Amino acid sequence: MLGMWSLLLLWGLATPCQGLLEKVGTLARIDKDELGKAIQNSLVGGPILQNVLGTVTSVNQGLLGSGGLLGGGGLLSYGGVFGVVEEISGLKIEELTLPKVSLKLLPGFGVQLSLHTKVGLHGSGPLGGLLQLAAEVNVSSRVALGVSSRGTPILVLKRCSTLLGHISLLSGLLPPPLFGVVEQTLFKVLPGLLCPIVDSVLGVVNELLGTALSLVPLGALGSVEFTLATLPLISNQYIELDINPIVKSVAGDIIDFPKPPKPIKLPPKEDHTSQVVVPLYLFSTVFGLLQTNGVLDIDITPELVPSNVPLTTTDLAALVPEALGKLPPGQQLLLSMRVKEAPSVTLQKGKAIISIPANIHVLSYHPKGTPEALFELNAVLTLNAQLAPSATKLHLSLSLERLSAKLASSFSHAFDVTRLEEWLSDVVRVAYVPKLNVDLDVGIPLPKVLNVNFANAALEIIENAVVLTVAS
């Protein structure tokens, strides 16, 4: 029968919100299965268990040898109770069964974690020959949740006690009185050897928790800093982290936008799944960062469009001849687009819409001369966004749905702008939208919590948020 380590993790005294996200932060709901995987992986992939092997012995002497607790004047030495026994030498931990991890979340309180294992000890018996023992273990620990100097959640071991189960003699000879003393000695020694394993496991888990709160670069534009908004919350199935995303420019200025007036109504989380909720606010701030850096501006020249998309005064005259004045046909055109206001992002059931307000200056284009202004338009580009998650971010791919424009000024005569909208839409599709998609390669960053990979997550667009759900 396997032993058990019982570990109590104190996460906070509140339970997660019931279907509403009151704040605008990124919400991570991490299923208990992921916490179990993180702990299991820390034991499998790291040196934690290997560090325990052989630690019962002191340098050149066994714990129960002439220089150990039971020898050289110790309890069982010539001056001890059982003086007839010369020594038990070189008793070491040679085997430590990989613990089987199971845990139970305690709503509003913490996590009860069980690690089932068995310890194998080898040494030389008092009558010669190999001595092999197996001990079942039950270690109980209490861990408090604190905040590190970096502002990340951290688990701190507060109390640890070890209970041994049955100790079996697998090989060798050990008289019953001596066996009892060995048993008592192991009861005293093993807590000091096994409780540090709990601390080591917590260290690994703390590192994984800390990666959720980090600085994520957005190419040459700036960065997103994830900070913890509140203490972690807990239900009977998942841990909830309210993470505050702070978008900054390269200069360090915070890019901030108004928050949604209503809380986000979240879909329920199914058992054995983890979720990340990406709020509208984060989309808006990233697009705001693109706008303030001038990334959304473009000058469209004939070199940027294919031959089947006309960009000359001849083609313009066929649509709005009154806009050209006395300008002769056959001259090339330049479309100078400037985005002076931040785009607006709309997230509704199943759809993500980006609206970009743009001033479009139409000029006659002389590659070696000075462009001549013809007219100026106030336009709104409405684009559909296709969203796709990866391990680190949410990717966006835009396509133009429609373009609407109004005449702002003309250097000749007023005209009906609606006659230009189809032509302008064609130009924007072939020259502007591809540029936007390249610029949007920065994506919307996702927090990284316990190495949960959302690359294959199911994606749901709800009102004012995007929800990513992945099976544990």
Side-chain angles (χ1 to χ4, degrees):
M1 184 179 69
L2 293 176
M4 179 182 297
W5 295 350
S6 180
L7 174 62
L8 192 63
L9 311 182
L10 306 180
W11 279 90
L13 299 179
T15 54
C17 54
Q18 300 300 313
L20 292 178
L21 178 58
E22 298 288 347
K23 305 183 186 302
V24 298
T26 300
L27 193 71
R29 290 170 160 179
I30 306 303
D31 193 81
K32 68 176 185 179
D33 294 346
E34 296 295 343
L35 180 59
K37 287 180 186 178
I39 294 171
Q40 186 77 59
N41 290 339
S42 73
L43 295 169
V44 173
I48 293 176
L49 298 182
Q50 289 295 323
N51 289 342
V52 177
L53 300 181
T55 54
V56 173
T57 59
S58 59
V59 178
N60 297 325
Q61 295 291 339
L63 169 69
L64 307 183
S66 59
L69 295 179
L70 304 186
L75 182 61
L76 297 184
S77 69
Y78 286 107
V81 177
F82 301 99
V84 295
V85 179
E86 180 178 356
E87 66 174 16
I88 300 175
S89 64
L91 191 62
K92 302 178 182 180
I93 294 181
E94 294 287 354
E95 298 178 23
L96 191 62
T97 303
L98 178 65
K100 179 182 178 183
V101 177
S102 62
L103 56 86
K104 178 182 179 182
L105 301 188
L106 309 175
F109 184 68
V111 182
Q112 182 173 312
L113 172 67
S114 298
L115 306 177
H116 304 268
T117 191
K118 182 181 288 186
V119 177
L121 302 106
H122 296 181
S124 298
L127 303 179
L130 178 65
L131 183 67
Q132 291 182 306
L133 301 172
E136 298 174 4
V137 188
N138 184 339
V139 178
S140 297
S141 301
R142 279 186 174 268
V143 179
L145 176 66
V147 179
S148 72
S149 58
R150 298 189 299 119
T152 61
I154 185 172
L155 299 170
V156 182
L157 182 62
K158 292 294 185 181
R159 190 175 69 192
C160 179
S161 60
T162 303
L163 296 177
L164 292 182
H166 181 65
I167 299 178
S168 304
L169 179 61
L170 302 180
S171 68
L173 297 176
L174 197 61
L178 186 57
F179 184 87
V181 175
V182 172
E183 193 174 39
Q184 292 177 22
T185 303
L186 292 179
F187 270 109
K188 294 179 181 179
V189 173
L190 286 183
L193 299 172
L194 298 181
C195 285
I197 293 180
V198 178
D199 238 344
S200 298
V201 168
L202 294 180
V204 174
V205 175
N206 284 335
E207 287 183 11
L208 295 175
L209 288 173
T211 59
L213 310 181
S214 58
L215 194 67
V216 181
L218 290 173
L221 301 177
S223 61
V224 175
E225 182 180 4
F226 290 113
T227 62
L228 193 63
T230 62
L231 283 176
L233 307 177
I234 195 164
S235 75
N236 61 356
Q237 189 62 31
Y238 60 90
I239 295 165
E240 183 174 290
L241 299 177
D242 186 1
I243 301 171
N244 183 31
I246 302 173
V247 181
K248 296 182 180 180
S249 67
V250 174
D253 299 325
I254 295 177
I255 309 298
D256 203 3
F257 282 84
K259 279 67 173 176
K262 298 179 181 180
I264 299 171
K265 186 176 181 180
L266 301 177
K269 191 194 84 67
E270 297 181 359
D271 291 349
H272 309 296
T273 64
S274 294
Q275 285 181 338
V276 164
V277 180
V278 185
L280 171 66
Y281 170 78
L282 187 52
F283 285 83
S284 298
T285 51
V286 169
F287 272 95
L289 186 62
L290 293 170
Q291 184 267 325
T292 56
N293 279 271
V295 175
L296 302 181
D297 299 337
I298 188 175
D299 289 333
I300 302 175
T301 61
E303 294 81 8
L304 298 180
V305 298
S307 58
N308 63 328
V309 178
L311 205 61
T312 67
T313 54
T314 301
D315 305 295
L316 192 60
L319 299 172
V320 283
E322 60 267 41
L324 298 181
K326 298 180 180 180
L327 195 66
Q331 296 194 24
Q332 295 179 331
L333 295 175
L334 164 68
L335 271 63
S336 178
M337 293 182 58
R338 296 295 179 265
V339 180
K340 299 180 179 179
E341 299 178 13
S344 63
V345 183
T346 302
L347 298 176
Q348 295 178 334
K349 187 174 182 180
K351 292 195 71 175
I353 303 295
I354 314 297
S355 295
I356 301 179
N359 296 109
I360 303 178
H361 296 262
V362 180
L363 308 95
S364 64
Y365 177 58
H366 305 280
K368 296 183 180 180
T370 302
E372 181 181 344
L374 299 178
F375 53 88
E376 178 184 353
L377 304 174
N378 291 329
V380 176
L381 284 62
T382 302
L383 303 109
N384 289 317
Q386 297 296 320
L387 308 179
S390 70
T392 59
K393 57 188 175 182
L394 196 58
H395 298 267
L396 291 85
S397 178
L398 303 183
S399 60
L400 183 68
E401 180 178 298
R402 63 181 180 275
L403 181 150
S404 60
K406 294 181 179 180
L407 184 65
S409 63
S410 173
F411 289 88
S412 56
H413 301 285
F415 57 89
D416 183 6
V417 178
T418 58
R419 287 180 283 166
L420 287 179
E421 288 181 351
E422 183 177 352
W423 170 72
L424 285 171
S425 297
D426 291 340
V427 174
V428 166
R429 283 191 180 96
V430 297
Y432 186 56
V433 174
K435 174 186 180 297
L436 285 181
N437 287 327
V438 171
D439 296 331
L440 283 171
D441 188 58
V442 295
I444 307 296
L446 300 175
K448 189 176 182 180
V449 186
L450 293 180
N451 280 335
V452 179
N453 190 341
F454 286 92
N456 298 316
L459 186 148
E460 181 181 4
I461 302 174
I462 62 174
E463 186 173 1
N464 294 333
V466 173
V467 181
L468 302 177
T469 304
V470 64
S472 298

